[in-house]
Amino acid sequence: MELVLSLRSKKVKVIEISKWGTYLRKQWEDNFASHLSEKEKKSIFLYDQNGCCGFLWHLFSYEKRDCFKEEQADIQFNKEPKQSCYIFYQHSDEVFIVENALSLTADDFINEQDVYIVDKGFKWTYVRTHETGWCGPYFSRK
């Protein structure tokens, strides 16, 4: 994968795990969307339902959580000190654990869609959507 090669060229340690996607999506929801009721989560299509694809990032596009958007999101992500992070996707169980992540920047994810980057403590998140330019990217702190 191009992302992994790019990160490794920056001396970022990348560990690939193929089955943590569901777990990390749930952890992300628990940490960033726990203030919403199940009814509210359904109303913003946080989950897949009735053949309609849900997205965790709808939390931001429906303005249910404060966040930085677009260029400001990139700036905040770039300024955030990064040591260890998880990288995961909306519709994949593929996960990357990255260590020595200080050199990560928003530009590293410019070709990624529906990708979530979160520090291991779930204190902040950066999201690049498939609708970037219209919706996202987003950056939020817990």
Side-chain angles (χ1 to χ4, degrees):
M1 173 175 239
E2 185 179 322
L3 175 64
V4 172
L5 295 174
S6 172
L7 295 179
R8 286 184 175 151
S9 75
K10 294 173 77 167
K11 305 296 184 217
V12 174
K13 181 179 177 185
V14 181
I15 301 166
E16 300 175 60
I17 299 175
S18 62
K19 298 190 182 205
W20 276 22
T22 300
Y23 171 76
L24 286 177
R25 285 188 295 276
K26 178 65 174 145
Q27 290 300 307
W28 192 96
E29 176 190 340
D30 289 349
N31 281 276
F32 294 102
S34 62
H35 62 289
L36 298 179
S37 69
E38 287 302 311
K39 183 177 179 181
E40 288 173 307
K41 290 175 184 179
K42 286 182 181 179
S43 75
I44 65 169
F45 304 97
L46 203 69
Y47 310 119
D48 291 342
Q49 55 189 346
N50 301 328
C52 181
C53 288
F55 295 94
L56 295 173
W57 57 261
H58 282 173
L59 179 69
F60 305 124
S61 63
Y62 280 86
E63 300 182 346
K64 299 295 184 182
R65 182 172 190 88
D66 289 339
C67 66
F68 293 94
K69 299 174 185 175
E70 301 166 355
E71 185 180 344
Q72 286 301 312
D74 290 344
I75 290 168
Q76 291 302 313
F77 177 68
N78 290 344
K79 288 178 16 180
E80 190 68 33
K82 298 174 248 346
Q83 289 300 318
S84 300
C85 305
Y86 297 119
I87 300 170
F88 61 96
Y89 296 85
Q90 183 70 54
H91 300 292
S92 170
D93 282 336
E94 184 174 40
V95 171
F96 303 105
I97 300 172
V98 294
E99 305 283 342
N100 191 27
L102 190 57
S103 65
L104 281 185
T105 67
D107 286 346
D108 293 323
F109 301 96
I110 207 151
N111 294 320
E112 302 299 308
Q113 294 186 354
D114 302 320
V115 63
Y116 299 79
I117 301 91
V118 64
D119 71 301
K120 281 191 171 181
F122 288 84
K123 295 177 186 145
W124 58 260
T125 188
Y126 175 76
V127 182
R128 191 169 253 323
T129 75
H130 68 275
E131 296 181 356
T132 290
W134 185 46
C135 291
Y138 301 106
F139 180 88
S140 185
R141 289 185 183 88
K142 190 169 165 182

